């Protein structure tokens, strides 16, 4: 059973460009959350998708947007990249049900984005 | 607003020692508290999850405790090994949302 997968593993962009990161959740999971982890910091919640809708959002500008597909996979899009967007972007999957609170979120290996 | 703090930011100990990592949170309205391990440049590996109704969880040489009333959790590592060297993150799953609020992590180095 494949866990959470993310692509690409590394990415280099220049300021002002746009980037799309991809995530496939663990089999059986229906909810995808995205986190940004700057160097030396803990991950920060960006947003969460369930049933193809944004369910929760953290304190990130509208330049950050996402999408969830019918197969539960998800994309994170960042427009007008800034140097400060350089970070490890982590995707986590879970099952949105009453029992979900007893389960951990499963994290992917992340995509490391460098903005020059 | 939930804030999670981890102390110390970095810790270096000789192999074989027992050690404790600390995590504090400001809002006791949590569903659970989780401890993760992160190796350099890698994703997160879940170590232990403590439900809000529980006091502790154990897995091998790891033991995590939770005291909601005081807003504290500890991760105890027994008989540390060089392979335990990593960054350890705690995260609270806040009520009303399914988002994790993370601390900044403790960077642990076990010296042979």
């Amino acid at each position: 059973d494949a866990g959470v997968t993310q692509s690409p593993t590394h990415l280099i962009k220049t300021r002002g460009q746009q980037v799309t990161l991809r995530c496939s959740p663990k089999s059986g999971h229906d909810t995808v959350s995205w986190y940004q982890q700057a160097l030396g910091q803990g991950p920060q919640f960006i947003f969460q998708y369930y049933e193809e809708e944004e369910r929760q959002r953290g304190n990130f500008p509208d330049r950050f947007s996402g999408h969830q597909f019918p197969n539960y996979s998800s994309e994170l899009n960042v427009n007008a990249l800034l140097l400060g967007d350089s970070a490890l972007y982590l995707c986590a999957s879970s099952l949105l049900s009453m029992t979900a609170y007893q389960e951990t979120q499963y994290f992917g290996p992340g995509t490391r984005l460098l903005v020059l | 607003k939930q804030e999670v703090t981890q102390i110390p930011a970095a810790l270096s100990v000789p192999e074989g020692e027992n050690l404790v990592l600390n995590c504090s949170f400001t809002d006791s309205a949590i569903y659970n508290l989780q401890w993760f391990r992160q190796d350099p440049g890698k994703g997160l590996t879940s170590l232990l999850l403590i439900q809000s109704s529980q006091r502790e969880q154990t897995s091998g040489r790891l033991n995590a405790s939770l005291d909601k009333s005081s807003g504290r959790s500890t991760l105890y590592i027994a008989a540390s090994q060089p392979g335990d060297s990593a960054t350890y993150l705690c995260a609270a799953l806040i009520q009303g949302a399914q988002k994790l609020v993370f601390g900044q992590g403790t960077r642990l180095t076990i010296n042979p």
Side-chain angles (χ1 to χ4, degrees), chain B residues 37-82:
Chain B
R37 168 183 173 140
Q38 186 173 35
D39 292 293
K42 304 295 185 182
L44 306 181
T45 300
S46 178
L47 298 173
L48 289 165
L49 181 151
I50 313 174
Q51 293 297 326
S52 61
S53 58
Q54 297 175 324
R55 298 284 293 185
E56 65 178 270
Q57 282 287 330
T58 298
S59 176
R61 295 183 293 108
L62 305 180
N63 176 275
S65 67
L66 175 64
D67 184 342
K68 275 184 57 177
S69 61
S70 66
R72 294 175 187 269
S73 177
T74 62
L75 179 66
Y76 174 83
I77 302 177
S80 59
Q81 304 170 357

Side-chain angles (χ1 to χ4, degrees), chain A residues 4-18:
Chain A
V4 181
T5 60
Q6 292 186 244
S7 64
T9 56
H10 295 82
L11 206 51
I12 300 175
K13 293 284 188 179
T14 56
R15 281 179 296 174
Q17 285 189 313
Q18 178 265 343

Side-chain angles (χ1 to χ4, degrees), chain B residues 30-41:
Chain B
I30 64 172
Y31 283 122
N32 60 51
L33 192 291
Q34 302 179 50
W35 284 91
F36 294 88
R37 168 183 173 140
Q38 186 173 35
D39 292 293

Side-chain angles (χ1 to χ4, degrees), chain A residues 7-8 11 13 18-22 34 74-79 81 111:
Chain A
S7 64
L11 206 51
K13 293 284 188 179
Q18 178 265 343
V19 68
T20 297
L21 311 181
R22 296 176 176 80
W34 287 91
S74 177
E75 289 182 348
L76 164 65
N77 301 293
V78 187
N79 295 321
L81 284 167
T111 293

